[in-house]
Amino acid sequence: MMIPVRCFTCGNVIGEHWEEFKERGREGDEDPAKVLDELGVDRHCCRRMMVSHRDLVDVVSPYQ
Ligand SMILES: [Zn+2]
């Protein structure tokens, strides 16, 4: 599934940062914590949305 547009807890918009976080922090070689700091995602509730998310679109799409 795609990342939720807003944080479940505080409602802050976080979906707009997902692609950059994925490229730099997940698949790149930068420290994910530093990438989140630079993106301005500084609340714990928002950071967990990004850190704990997995893109499952490609896994689920054959069954729809
Ligand atoms: Zn939040």
Side-chain angles (χ1 to χ4, degrees):
M1 298 296 107
M2 290 159 48
I3 191 161
V5 173
R6 290 179 179 269
C7 172
F8 289 146
T9 303
C10 71
N12 192 27
V13 177
I14 45 128
E16 60 187 353
H17 301 306
W18 172 245
E19 288 299 326
E20 186 171 350
F21 174 71
K22 190 168 74 168
E23 282 173 23
R24 293 173 58 192
R26 280 277 180 84
E27 294 159 10
D29 48 7
E30 291 183 63
D31 180 7
K34 281 187 184 165
V35 175
L36 287 173
D37 287 342
E38 288 175 22
L39 291 172
V41 182
D42 49 3
R43 294 180 192 150
H44 287 118
C45 55
C46 305
R47 292 169 83 100
R48 66 94 205 262
M49 299 289 290
M50 307 281 275
V51 170
S52 62
H53 181 72
R54 291 293 281 175
D55 271 332
L56 294 176
V57 171
D58 295 335
V59 177
V60 176
S61 59
Y63 303 102
Q64 292 177 344

